[in-house]
Amino acid sequence: MTERKQILLRLDPAVHDALVRWAADELRSTTAQIEFLLRQSLSQAGRMPKEVGGLPRRGRPRKQTDPGDDES
């Protein structure tokens, strides 16, 4: 996986508050919501690079189970 870029983003406090609420409604972090919206906008504008990677999975990583484990 390639290293993710970090940026400083200055927002109007009301815009930030709206993003925080929207992200919570979508069960995303504020950062993930911003990236989701940026990707959506790039795609709609026909400007999404072909080499862009997928969004990281939300939530905790899945628990790895051993093939010999019987969880039923």
Side-chain angles (χ1 to χ4, degrees):
M1 184 170 134
T2 60
E3 187 175 327
R4 299 180 60 79
K5 298 285 186 176
Q6 296 181 13
I7 64 167
L8 174 63
L9 179 63
R10 290 180 177 87
L11 298 172
D12 180 283
V15 170
H16 181 264
D17 291 344
L19 276 168
V20 169
R21 286 191 306 274
W22 192 2
D25 290 346
E26 300 285 329
L27 302 177
R28 290 187 182 100
S29 69
T30 304
T31 301
Q33 184 71 7
I34 292 169
E35 183 170 6
F36 173 80
L37 294 170
L38 287 171
R39 286 171 177 254
Q40 188 177 51
S41 293
L42 284 167
S43 184
Q44 289 174 355
R47 295 179 172 264
M48 181 66 83
K50 291 183 194 282
E51 66 275 4
V52 72
L55 282 171
R57 288 184 51 86
R58 297 192 310 188
R60 295 183 191 177
R62 291 187 179 188
K63 180 180 175 185
Q64 298 294 322
T65 58
D66 292 329
D69 288 350
D70 184 18
E71 295 186 18
S72 48

